[in-house]
Amino acid sequence: MSSRTGFLALALALAIPDLAPAQEKLAYLIPTLYGPSGLTVDSEARLPNGDTHSAHFNSSFQTNFSPFNSALASRLASVPLPAPASGFTYTFDPALGVFNRSTKSFGPIVTDRAETIGKGRASIGFAYQYFSFDEIDGLDLGHIPTVFTHDNPVVGTGREDVITADNAISARMTQFTAYVSYGISDRVDISVALPLVSVDLAVTSSVRLQRIGTVNTAIHFFHQPTGDNYGDHAAFTKAGQASGIGDIALRLKASLLKKETLGIALGVESRLPTGDEKDLLGAGAFAVKPYLVISSPHGAFSPHINAAYQWNGKSLLGGNVQTGVKEDLPDEAVVAVGADVGVGQKLSLAFDVVGRRVINGEQVTLDTFTALNNVSKFPIVHFNRQSYNMVDGAIGLKANPGGGLLVNLNVLFKLNDGGLRDRVTPLLGIEYSF
């Protein structure tokens, strides 16, 4: 192919519109897993008028497990962003007319300290986080059981049959965050964080007909791809991927007390609903989080305490994406305790314990379903609205290769089973102060 021919082919390819069908939004994958009519099975049983019918089973997975969207949205709304305060903090010495470093460590990674960056100082940073959600309230996301009952189940009518399902949800998220901080004065910092988010979601439901009220395989059955029309099992799968801008975070922090061994600061963080909630890239709701920071540097050792409360607004993910009804996402109270320790001039270690109290959130509980024969029992999950705790630990290090450059390595790990969780979440980042 000549270069001119290749150029013309490329031009035509760019000029022709993309005719591929648009991908279904990720928030719809679970609610529409079995199709618009829910879960149905075929039947050759005759109606009074002589027609056959397709038996409909109540789609408890679709209606009851849709709150997974809310759980994921709440997790997106509370993903810990890297601390915006620079690892290098300075105070101005008016006698010498120079800035001096105010701390001997490089600070925490996923929490904050009271020290401010210093008037006219700035830092930029980039962080990468990877989440592979494994559990929800201690239940393995690869095996979520549920049960479907026949419409109008009545003993002795054949409608005692149920369908059991083993459901697997794979949810992975990567977040690349760019952030910048600037010292308006010696006591006030502002910062902005821009996350770029990628979400992969897949759901598979392996269903099996449990013949409790019928014996004839022609009454209820699934068509099989092998040609066996009287199968008792089937599988349904949906998957999708989305990438884009997440929810932008704006922060303002003001130092109230600056002493050699004690610092107190107040701040406020706002998260803007800039991410597409229908593709699970953002929470879909405005959030505001005032917070208090207390730190107490003692040479190279600096413990700190963070306390905050996050108010979340209304989101489709907290309500119903199919009907367009918005509901409030759960609020959160957050407390973090930790310390950072300077090791020589080029390295510091950081560790934290972060506790969250999710207010009136969706929580999954494992239960037992008893069939109409009072003999057959199957596992099932239920969602309930109640408050619960999420506790994570974090440990990491900051290294200074030279100048104002810092390299951050951190691991976040769960300490309890509440909420949608990743067992281990790595964070890699760099920041530069000037």
Side-chain angles (χ1 to χ4, degrees):
M1 179 184 291
S2 68
S3 59
R4 177 178 294 181
T5 304
F7 176 79
L8 289 175
L10 177 61
L12 286 172
L14 295 175
I16 296 174
D18 185 4
L19 299 180
Q23 176 183 277
E24 184 177 21
K25 295 288 187 178
L26 297 188
Y28 294 98
L29 293 190
I30 292 175
T32 62
L33 176 62
Y34 303 106
S37 300
L39 183 60
T40 61
V41 300
D42 294 300
S43 176
E44 293 183 0
R46 295 288 175 176
L47 297 172
N49 63 3
D51 294 335
T52 58
H53 79 286
S54 291
H56 181 259
F57 282 70
N58 292 315
S59 185
S60 60
F61 179 74
Q62 285 179 296
T63 57
N64 293 341
F65 208 73
S66 292
F68 177 83
N69 284 339
S70 177
L72 183 56
S74 297
R75 193 72 176 104
L76 287 169
S78 62
V79 167
L81 296 174
S86 169
F88 295 96
T89 59
Y90 298 87
T91 56
F92 183 72
D93 187 339
L96 299 176
V98 296
F99 285 96
N100 295 316
R101 279 193 61 188
S102 59
T103 57
K104 295 184 179 181
S105 66
F106 298 127
I109 297 176
V110 296
T111 55
D112 209 346
R113 59 180 174 179
E115 290 78 14
T116 52
I117 190 173
K119 182 178 180 180
R121 310 291 297 193
S123 68
I124 59 174
F126 305 91
Y128 171 84
Q129 293 168 284
Y130 176 75
F131 300 83
S132 178
F133 296 110
D134 308 296
E135 300 176 350
I136 184 165
D137 296 312
L139 299 179
D140 183 358
L141 277 178
H143 297 283
I144 301 292
T146 193
V147 178
F148 303 76
T149 59
H150 197 294
D151 279 354
N152 304 313
V154 179
V155 174
T157 64
R159 294 196 293 268
E160 305 102 307
D161 287 357
V162 300
I163 295 175
T164 56
D166 184 29
N167 308 293
I169 295 177
S170 172
R172 299 187 301 273
M173 180 177 71
T174 57
Q175 180 167 280
F176 180 84
T177 306
Y179 56 94
V180 59
S181 300
Y182 179 76
I184 297 177
S185 70
D186 277 341
R187 290 183 175 269
V188 180
D189 288 352
I190 58 171
S191 62
V192 60
L194 172 65
L196 301 178
V197 182
S198 178
V199 178
D200 290 271
L201 180 66
V203 55
T204 298
S205 182
S206 298
V207 300
R208 180 170 293 275
L209 180 64
Q210 305 290 342
R211 298 190 180 278
I212 297 170
T214 63
V215 176
N216 186 349
T217 58
I219 294 179
H220 294 143
F221 62 89
F222 294 105
H223 280 289
Q224 302 295 301
T226 58
D228 176 12
N229 285 337
Y230 300 110
D232 61 358
H233 63 277
F236 301 83
T237 300
K238 276 195 172 185
Q241 189 276 338
S243 301
I245 295 174
D247 291 344
I248 295 174
L250 307 174
R251 285 172 172 169
L252 176 101
K253 184 175 72 174
S255 174
L256 302 182
L257 179 66
K258 295 180 69 171
K259 291 188 175 181
E260 184 177 352
T261 58
L262 180 63
I264 300 175
L266 286 177
V268 62
E269 174 184 300
S270 296
R271 294 208 185 191
L272 310 180
T274 48
D276 184 350
E277 73 268 33
K278 292 183 180 180
D279 261 333
L280 304 179
L281 300 177
F286 179 81
V288 60
K289 181 173 70 176
Y291 61 92
L292 169 71
V293 183
I294 301 174
S295 55
S296 180
H298 294 272
F301 177 71
S302 181
H304 54 263
I305 298 174
N306 292 187
Y309 191 93
Q310 180 166 313
W311 282 276
N312 293 311
K314 294 181 181 294
S315 167
L316 287 175
L317 300 181
N320 190 316
V321 294
Q322 292 180 287
T323 63
V325 174
K326 294 186 177 184
E327 297 290 345
D328 286 330
L329 289 177
D331 296 339
E332 289 189 4
V334 185
V335 176
V337 179
D340 49 278
V341 184
V343 182
Q345 298 295 315
K346 297 290 187 179
L347 181 69
S348 67
L349 306 178
F351 58 90
D352 284 284
V353 175
V354 182
R356 290 181 170 83
R357 179 68 173 173
V358 180
I359 311 301
N360 198 29
E362 296 281 1
Q363 194 166 35
V364 182
T365 56
L366 183 63
D367 202 353
T368 299
F369 173 87
T370 302
L372 287 180
N373 63 1
N374 289 319
V375 175
S376 303
K377 298 179 184 294
F378 308 99
I380 189 173
V381 294
H382 296 293
F383 270 90
N384 304 290
R385 277 201 170 272
Q386 60 188 46
S387 299
Y388 60 90
N389 298 320
M390 298 174 62
V391 184
D392 293 304
I395 186 168
L397 60 87
K398 289 187 174 184
N400 174 220
L405 182 65
L406 287 176
V407 177
N408 306 331
L409 304 175
N410 188 79
V411 175
L412 190 73
F413 49 92
K414 75 183 189 74
L415 296 177
N416 77 337
D417 289 332
L420 180 66
R421 308 299 287 276
D422 186 0
R423 293 188 183 94
V424 178
T425 302
L427 181 152
L428 307 175
I430 59 172
E431 63 179 86
Y432 183 76
S433 299
F434 53 94

